Amino acid sequence: MSIGLVIAVLLGAAVAVGILAAFGRTTRSREGSFSGGALGFLGSASLSSFTLVAAFLIAGSWSNLNTARGHTWDEARALNAAYTDADPTTRPLLRGYVTDVIGPDFQAMAHGDASPTAWAALDSVRAHVEALPDSAQRTTMLSDLDDIYTKRQIRLADASASLPEPLYPALVGTGLLVLLYAPIAGLTFRHREAVALGLVGAVVGFGVYLVLHMTHPYAGPMHVTPVAYQQSLERFSQLSQQPT
């Protein structure tokens, strides 16, 4: 994460200085012979375009992230309820399923997939419960498992959540437009101006990096973690110590 962020910031600064070097040597740039009103409009329009696209992508990605995190807690609560209602022979199977969710399932969801191991573990829980003698507890356990299956399907659907793909090249394009505007407006290639625009480019690079690494709720520097299921395992241990 830190290396990628540093590269993005440095790349943004380098691109900004490169643009200034390429377009900041013209006679018009040196003289600044542009209409002040036109320059003000173009500057605000380019900055607003970048801000609008970045804000939309950040808000959408953050919403997907929070929604996915909430669905993990929904499934964890369903698992806690199922473990509470389960008989002693079923509880180890539920614990095994949660362990598979924390491990291979979350690894697979980072790539938009589901772990066959976790599916098999949950199916084995249901097969075990269905084989139990008919009773009120068995009926309750089957109902709990139906709820877990539903919550699991919702969680897996979050792994493929995404925002409109054309917005990402639009983000990069508007970021370049912000940097390109400065030499067009008359900023010349001198040391102070290069440092100033380089800092702006670093901020733009940081913004692009941040947005591009929030595209997936289960991958990247900011992603959903299996903390809900880890707490379920702790809850299972507490319930196991209580008399049945």
Side-chain angles (χ1 to χ4, degrees):
M1 171 184 174
S2 58
I3 295 178
L5 176 58
V6 170
I7 292 175
V9 170
L10 293 178
L11 182 61
V15 169
V17 174
I19 288 176
L20 184 61
F23 296 95
R25 301 176 185 272
T26 63
T27 302
R28 179 169 289 188
S29 292
R30 291 194 298 269
E31 296 176 352
S33 55
F34 288 87
S35 166
L39 289 177
F41 169 77
L42 292 175
S44 61
S46 60
L47 181 59
S48 298
S49 298
F50 175 76
T51 303
L52 177 64
V53 177
F56 182 86
L57 285 170
I58 290 174
S61 299
W62 192 255
S63 177
N64 289 342
L65 182 68
N66 285 332
T67 298
R69 183 181 292 111
H71 289 158
T72 64
W73 286 103
D74 291 341
E75 186 181 6
R77 283 190 291 269
L79 286 163
N80 293 345
Y83 196 89
T84 302
D85 296 332
D87 71 321
T89 64
T90 306
R91 285 183 168 185
L93 298 176
L94 284 170
R95 181 181 290 274
Y97 166 68
V98 174
T99 301
D100 287 334
V101 169
I102 294 173
D105 217 17
F106 262 73
Q107 294 172 6
M109 285 191 301
H111 304 285
D113 300 321
S115 168
T117 303
W119 271 123
L122 185 57
D123 291 339
S124 67
V125 179
R126 182 171 59 183
H128 173 78
V129 174
E130 290 176 343
L132 294 174
D134 192 14
S135 65
Q137 185 181 29
R138 175 180 177 273
T139 301
T140 301
M141 291 164 60
L142 287 174
S143 177
D144 290 339
L145 284 173
D146 287 341
D147 192 27
I148 293 173
Y149 270 96
T150 300
K151 297 295 194 302
R152 173 176 171 79
Q153 290 281 15
I154 294 173
R155 169 171 59 84
L156 294 178
D158 293 332
S160 58
S162 63
L163 295 173
E165 291 186 1
L167 288 176
Y168 297 105
L171 175 71
V172 176
T174 53
L176 291 174
L177 181 62
V178 170
L179 302 180
L180 183 62
Y181 168 76
I184 292 177
L187 195 66
T188 55
F189 186 56
R190 298 190 180 97
H191 291 299
R192 278 194 307 179
E193 287 84 348
V195 170
L197 189 60
L199 292 175
V200 174
V203 173
V204 171
F206 171 77
V208 172
Y209 174 88
L210 180 65
V211 170
L212 294 181
H213 284 77
M214 291 179 62
T215 59
H216 197 295
Y218 286 98
M222 289 179 289
H223 63 275
V224 180
T225 64
V227 62
Y229 303 94
Q230 293 165 348
Q231 292 193 12
S232 285
L233 289 180
E234 295 176 3
R235 180 58 179 159
F236 289 178
S237 298
Q238 295 171 355
L239 291 172
S240 296
Q241 297 172 2
Q242 297 177 1
T244 55

